[in-house]
Amino acid sequence: MPERWASLAVMLIGLGGVVAGVAAISFPPGKRLGALSALIVGAGVGLATLGIGALTDERGEPSEFVFFVGSLLGFLTVCGFVWFVRRRGTEPT
């Protein structure tokens, strides 16, 4: 079962890259760096989750499930950030 959590985590990391890549293509010129920013923010959330998981584990390292949770939170962050940048780009000034 632990391998399943790790496989799902890697899948979510890949999907986060796909979301950011599609967003970069669909954003108008001048807004495309928002997709890269989404990846950076998502990676930061995922790594912070891994760090917290390692601190709370008795072995001092995160489990496969914590890796999955970090990937899930990072993926959701990428999706939310892309939505936020998309929303800001369509607001009338």
Side-chain angles (χ1 to χ4, degrees):
M1 186 64 172
E3 299 84 18
R4 181 168 297 192
W5 290 121
S7 296
L8 288 171
V10 171
M11 181 188 70
L12 286 172
I13 292 169
L15 286 175
V18 169
V19 168
V22 169
I25 292 170
S26 68
F27 284 166
K31 300 285 185 190
R32 293 187 176 148
L33 275 179
L36 178 61
S37 300
L39 279 178
I40 292 169
V41 171
V45 167
L47 287 175
T49 305
L50 282 177
I52 291 168
L55 287 174
T56 59
D57 189 73
E58 63 272 355
R59 297 176 300 157
E61 57 186 51
S63 66
E64 291 83 0
F65 182 72
V66 171
F67 181 52
F68 168 74
V69 171
S71 298
L72 178 63
L73 292 175
F75 173 73
L76 293 175
T77 302
V78 168
C79 292
F81 201 87
V82 165
W83 175 81
F84 174 74
V85 172
R86 162 83 55 204
R87 180 89 180 204
R88 277 190 64 187
T90 60
E91 288 181 354
T93 55

